């Protein structure tokens, strides 16, 4: 009898302990995520008549959305941004550094620290640093660098806007890929490599026949996390270009912000947000299922 | 033809040297790429004639740093950031400590749904939430300001309380939204660390006559300290570097934090004080870098989010 009440009291205690965190996440993340769906069915606005009294418009926002070239442009830009920086840029450079750091090189901690540095910098400072790097005119840092190769000064953020933000995000995320892939490399048993060497396998063969297959789970995990985090980027691109010039760097997050708070169309902005939520939830469910996440 | 007569052991050392050189070359090139943007900010922060361009300073000066602390807005941005992010981090640690412990110890039906829920919540992209969160904040803001107006009729007091407790353009709102955004990861980390502490320790303490509070203070918290460190560091780094929430919910200059203050100062194209801004960027970046250096060893644990094997 006493045991039962003690157990009950403990169970009640767990619920109380959970409550504050749950309340905050519910109020500021879960409820808003669902609320986005209902807002996307209204003509809610930040200014004007609809701001006082928004009305239900059914799927009108969505039909407008799918006919809006700016929305498709934003999706395309997001896709190129994610593939260019997370799937290719960060992954290739991160994998190369992880492989190089596997070897008995000297000054390992120094290389490690330098590669990690960009990852620790706040988004706003990243934008600030790279605006100086990309500065136009012959004194811009990048322009002086390419001048060694005989390239004329460029207006990087105007001529190659999308490439520029891909370079910046690649720069920022090498560390993340390197750290995750290093932990994957460390988990490969060393005797497999020795056995392959004894059998006379070359470096290239070892890499493609042993390292890559053994790394597949880690690579998959990396691809998932980096896709999701890159999909959610806002500040990094906003401080660099605010989506411009002419929407060329308007990734989904910035498109939502611009539609909602620059064009004041909250209902329409919410419809874009719904698309973005659905995409990330699909990714999340695939992840939980495919990796058989144990909780 | 030399290669043919070379013994196989020499062959191995040759390829060894070659791949060793390749490793150094890779690391040096990638490191240069990583370091390049920092040269400007570090040099310009001490350069009396700082500009937008990378240049060798004519002299070394600490004036830009002194300026930050003499200049009212610079000091205010730093303090606001410290207060808001600091409070959000502490709040996150308290709530995540309780939540993580409960999630680790309970066997109730809500355990698994909640853990899967937290993974999904971590995947929600913050920019997708801005419109509905803005609405929620607006609602809470009206409510709290109604309360404040009931509480006191003194306009000056109303303004002061409104600054503290408003959800839009007030400290409380920013602290709570940062806290909410950092909670999923923090709870996850705390849960993982509590999982590693055997329940026996608590039971042993209880058998020895320790009260619940004594058990928490002398057994649980000391054992979970690395977990608190990891959770706190990540909450701090993420909230400190966040740009979106301050952009959404601050407008008055008194509430400006570092990211937004710097961003707006930088937008005044005609009058950018590069010395001031680069020095500020250094000050803004240092705490994040130091925290990251400590947090690095915990990093791989946070990626997996419960993936085993």
């Amino acid at each position: 009898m006493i045991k039962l009440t003690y157990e009950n009291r403990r169970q009640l205690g767990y619920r109380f302990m959970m409550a504050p965190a749950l309340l905050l996440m519910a109020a500021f993340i879960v409820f808003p995520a669902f609320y986005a769906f209902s807002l996307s069915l209204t003509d809610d606005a930040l200014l004007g008549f609809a701001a006082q009294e928004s009305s239900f418009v059914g799927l009108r926002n969505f039909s407008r959305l799918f006919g809006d070239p700016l929305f498709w442009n934003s999706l395309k830009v997001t896709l190129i941004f994610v593939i260019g920086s997370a799937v290719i840029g960060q992954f290739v450079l991160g994998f190369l550094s992880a492989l190089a750091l596997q070897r008995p090189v000297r000054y390992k901690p120094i290389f490690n620290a330098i590669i990690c540095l960009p990852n620790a910098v706040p988004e706003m400072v990243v934008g600030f640093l790279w605006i100086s790097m990309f500065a136009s005119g012959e004194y811009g840092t990048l322009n002086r660098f390419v001048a060694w190769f005989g390239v004329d000064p460029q207006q990087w953020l105007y001529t190659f806007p999308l490439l520029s933000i891909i370079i910046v995000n690649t720069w920022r995320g090498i560390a993340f890929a390197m750290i995750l892939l290093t932990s994957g490399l460390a988990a490969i048993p060393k005797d497999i490599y020795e056995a392959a060497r004894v059998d006379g396998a070359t470096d290239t063969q070892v890499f493609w026949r042993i390292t890559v297959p053994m790394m597949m789970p880690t690579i998959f995990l990396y691809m998932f996390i980096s896709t999701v985090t890159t999909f959610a980027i806002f500040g990094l691109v906003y401080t660099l270009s605010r989506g411009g010039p002419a929407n060329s760097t308007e990734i989904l997050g910035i498109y939502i912000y611009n539609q909602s708070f620059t064009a004041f169309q909250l209902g329409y902005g919410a419809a874009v947000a719904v698309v973005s939520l659905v995409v990330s939830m699909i990714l999340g469910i695939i992840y939980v299922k495919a990796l058989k996440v144990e909780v | 033809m030399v290669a043919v007569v070379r013994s196989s052991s020499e062959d191995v050392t040759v390829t060894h040297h070659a791949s060793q050189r390749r490793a150094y070359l890779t690391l040096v090139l990638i490191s240069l790429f990583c370091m390049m943007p920092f040269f400007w900010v570090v040099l310009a922060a001490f350069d009396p004639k700082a500009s937008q361009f990378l240049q060798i300073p004519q002299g070394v000066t600490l004036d830009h740093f002194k300026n930050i602390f003499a200049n009212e807005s610079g000091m205010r941005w730093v303090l606001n950031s410290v207060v808001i992010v600091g409070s959000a981090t502490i709040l996150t640690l308290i709530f995540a400590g309780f939540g993580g412990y409960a999630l680790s110890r309970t066997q109730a039906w809500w355990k698994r749904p909640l853990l899967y829920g937290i993974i999904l919540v971590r995947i929600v992209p913050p920019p997708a939430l801005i419109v509905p969160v803005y609405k929620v904040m607006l609602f809470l803001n009206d409510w709290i300001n109604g309360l404040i107006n009931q509480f006191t009729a003194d306009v000056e007091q109303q303004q002061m309380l409104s600054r503290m407790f408003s959800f839009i353009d007030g400290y409380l709102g920013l602290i709570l939204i940062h806290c909410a955004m950092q909670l999923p990861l923090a709870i996850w980390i705390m849960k993982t660390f509590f999982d590693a502490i055997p329940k026996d320790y608590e039971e042993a303490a209880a058998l020895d006559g320790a009260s619940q509070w004594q058990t928490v203070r002398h057994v649980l918290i000391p054992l979970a300290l690395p977990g608190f460190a990891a959770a706190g560091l990540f909450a701090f780094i993420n909230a400190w570097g966040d740009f979106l929430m301050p952009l959404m919910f601050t407008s008055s200059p008194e509430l400006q934090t570092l990211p937004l203050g710097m961003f707006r100062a930088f937008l005044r194209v005609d009058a950018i004080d590069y010395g001031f801004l680069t020095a500020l960027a250094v000050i803004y970046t240092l705490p994040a870098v130091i925290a990251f250096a400590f947090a690095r060893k915990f990093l791989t644990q946070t990626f997996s989010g419960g993936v085993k094997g």
Side-chain angles (χ1 to χ4, degrees), chain B residues 190-209:
Chain B
M190 289 316 300
K191 186 247 171 201
T192 320
F193 274 90
F194 279 122
D195 277 348
I197 302 174
K199 222 175 166 175
D200 308 356
Y201 290 7
E202 292 160 61
E203 277 159 12
L207 280 179
D208 287 346

Side-chain angles (χ1 to χ4, degrees), chain A residues 8 47 58 72-74 76 82 85 95 111 144 176 213 253 266 273 279 289-290:
Chain A
N8 277 352
L47 290 175
W72 292 110
N73 166 68
S74 168
K76 192 187 82 191
V82 169
S85 60
F95 206 0
F111 285 126
R144 274 199 270 182
F176 173 78
L266 295 185
V279 171
K289 293 246 183 246

